[in-house]
Amino acid sequence: SMSNAVTPLHPLHASAYDVFTVLKNEYHIWVCPNGGELASQIFRVGHIGALTPQDNTVLVDALQDLQRRGLL
């Protein structure tokens, strides 16, 4: 069953680990990389803790920018 704490995301045209790395290094956004066989297929976004609606907006904006850049 799905977790109440994180949502898995599966990029269709990019390595999930590469997306994690770019978000961390270029946008200073930390998501959860997956390990093992799914490391290149799935990363996870947490949604518990001291998160604000603005945090979600920043993530969505970064993902849209990655898409515009052809990295997602």
Side-chain angles (χ1 to χ4, degrees):
S1 64
M2 297 291 288
S3 170
N4 291 326
V6 295
T7 297
L9 297 177
H10 174 59
L12 297 178
H13 306 291
S15 162
Y17 193 81
D18 290 347
V19 173
F20 157 75
T21 302
V22 171
L23 287 173
K24 176 178 69 77
N25 293 339
E26 294 183 24
Y27 298 89
H28 308 289
I29 296 172
W30 284 85
V31 294
C32 304
N34 208 64
E37 295 176 15
L38 298 177
S40 66
Q41 298 176 34
I42 293 173
F43 66 93
R44 296 163 288 158
V45 175
H47 41 81
I48 60 172
L51 297 171
T52 66
Q54 178 62 25
D55 293 326
N56 292 327
T57 300
V58 168
L59 175 60
V60 169
D61 289 347
L63 292 172
Q64 288 174 335
D65 191 46
L66 287 176
Q67 189 175 32
R68 279 189 295 275
R69 293 170 56 190
L71 300 175
L72 187 60

